[in-house]
Amino acid sequence: DVHVKNIAIRDYDDTLFTTVKSLTPSVYKRVGDVFRNRFRGGYAGWAHSLLFVAELPSFRSVLPSDIVQEMEEWKIQESEKKKKQLT
């Protein structure tokens, strides 16, 4: 899922997509490993769900403003990277 991939890159491991551009089975496993290693004790699925919901616009109002700002800044940076890649 693209949202979970973005969460993993933004918040936990920005090296996940340095060499590939799509969510291959090996990258999918790496993203899962990031969550399993970060949220031990069986909490990876719970964290995945919670972080995914936090990405949805309808839940932004309940997040701290500094977190929302970080998320927006990251989106802008990613958008700029994509534009540079196209030129």
Side-chain angles (χ1 to χ4, degrees):
D1 174 76
V2 93
H3 297 284
V4 176
K5 173 199 75 146
N6 289 341
I7 294 166
I9 294 169
R10 183 189 67 222
D11 297 337
Y12 304 111
D13 186 354
D14 63 355
T15 66
L16 281 170
F17 277 80
T18 56
T19 58
V20 296
K21 295 184 181 191
S22 63
L23 194 58
T24 64
S26 62
V27 173
Y28 182 83
K29 182 184 178 315
R30 285 184 62 199
V31 170
D33 289 344
V34 165
F35 277 86
R36 284 185 289 276
N37 289 331
R38 176 66 177 90
F39 301 101
R40 296 180 187 270
Y43 293 105
W46 176 86
H48 163 276
S49 297
L50 185 63
L51 293 168
F52 175 79
V53 167
E55 293 287 312
L56 300 174
S58 59
F59 286 88
R60 292 278 170 99
S61 64
V62 298
L63 295 175
S65 60
D66 59 324
I67 299 296
V68 173
Q69 183 164 346
E70 271 184 47
M71 292 166 69
E72 291 301 320
E73 288 171 1
W74 188 83
K75 280 171 60 172
I76 291 167
Q77 290 172 359
E78 287 301 301
S79 177
E80 290 173 359
K81 281 183 195 176
K82 287 180 185 177
K83 285 179 187 176
K84 286 181 183 177
Q85 290 173 352
L86 295 174
T87 58

